[in-house]
Amino acid sequence: MTKVLTEPRSIRIKGRSFLAVVLSPDLPVDQWLERLDDLASRSAGFFLGRPVVLDVADLAIDREQLKDLIAKLASRNVSIMGLEGAKPSMVERGMPPILKGGRPVSDVEVPKPAPDPAAEQIEKDEPQPAPETATQERAPEVRSAVQSLMIPEAVRSGQSVIFTEGDVTVLGAVSSGAEIIAGGSIHIYGALRGRAMAGSVGNSTARIFCRKMEAELVAIDGIYKMAEDLPPELLGKPVQLWLEGDAIKAAKMA
């Protein structure tokens, strides 16, 4: 009788990165929450269903104050997926975990169970493929290039376009309630009525270009500005925006 030996299937654990909004509160927290409420009121649904990381590295608070802040954010429908810059002593069971790095990671290797000696003997008896020699040709290495994303139509309300690898170009309009998030610059050949966030992965040289400025919110490298904060003479006009220090600058295009 031949005994068929099979190895148990291992659990596959994968590493994966996601784009999240990072909030960095400052003191006094109550005043910061008021500014957050103002942002949310002028850009409805901005935090709805969006993963958020809370950066408390520069915030001098204790565990109870941190728990209170997380609770106040939850009451505003701001879901905290993790904490950045928090000391381990500030976190207890039931609180979001501490996150570090934020870089893409590879698959996590799970140790395999020790092989069965009988299975090893059966494997030895089976013919083995010839080892690869140095003379065999290797597949050419694929190098990643600078990428861009082109959207040949309008982005409708409720739609979210996230492309952190480079620039995003929209040939139509971006409706109110829609958003574009790009790692590079954003080019909109129609009206910008929704939200546009360029340089989302730390690119301070990114810019935003649009044919007609009517945005709910614009942001470059984490610095944001509401449409009503822009000079009135730019509203409804072709505009480009860029970052100078910690301020967004805007100018009319010809």
Side-chain angles (χ1 to χ4, degrees), residues 176-228:
S176 176
E179 67 179 7
I180 308 293
I181 301 176
S185 297
I186 297 176
H187 308 258
I188 300 172
Y189 285 81
L192 171 56
R193 300 188 178 96
R195 300 182 288 266
M197 287 165 275
S200 61
V201 291
N203 183 0
S204 60
T205 63
R207 295 197 175 206
I208 298 174
F209 304 87
C210 66
R211 182 67 63 184
K212 189 177 183 181
M213 170 56 68
E214 297 177 353
E216 298 172 349
L217 177 146
V218 292
I220 300 176
D221 192 18
I223 306 297
Y224 77 90
K225 185 181 288 290
M226 309 300 294
E228 52 263 38

Side-chain angles (χ1 to χ4, degrees), residues 110-129:
V110 180
K112 295 182 178 180
D116 187 286
E120 283 189 345
Q121 183 61 42
I122 293 176
E123 186 176 350
K124 288 180 181 179
D125 294 340
E126 294 179 353
Q128 301 295 322

Side-chain angles (χ1 to χ4, degrees), residues 52-191:
V52 178
V53 173
L54 189 62
D55 181 5
V56 295
D58 299 325
L59 204 60
I61 58 175
D62 57 25
R63 180 192 298 173
E64 293 304 318
Q65 291 172 318
L66 178 57
K67 290 172 62 177
D68 181 63
L69 174 57
I70 294 173
K72 289 180 177 178
L73 289 171
S75 68
R76 292 166 167 80
N77 294 320
V78 179
S79 302
I80 303 300
M81 64 172 288
L83 303 171
E84 189 174 19
K87 298 178 181 178
S89 59
M90 297 173 62
V91 180
E92 63 180 25
R93 184 183 297 273
M95 295 177 65
I98 297 176
L99 304 179
K100 295 181 180 180
R103 294 185 297 272
V105 295
S106 58
D107 291 359
V108 178
E109 296 293 334
V110 180
K112 295 182 178 180
D116 187 286
E120 283 189 345
Q121 183 61 42
I122 293 176
E123 186 176 350
K124 288 180 181 179
D125 294 340
E126 294 179 353
Q128 301 295 322
E132 183 180 357
T133 63
T135 58
Q136 290 177 315
E137 294 185 0
R138 293 186 177 182
E141 181 181 357
V142 179
R143 297 181 180 272
S144 59
V146 177
Q147 298 182 355
S148 62
L149 174 67
M150 186 184 72
I151 302 173
E153 56 191 12
V155 181
R156 299 188 299 274
S157 178
Q159 292 183 320
S160 179
V161 176
I162 301 175
F163 185 75
T164 59
E165 289 80 6
D167 297 353
V168 173
T169 300
V170 181
L171 300 186
V174 177
S175 301
S176 176
E179 67 179 7
I180 308 293
I181 301 176
S185 297
I186 297 176
H187 308 258
I188 300 172
Y189 285 81

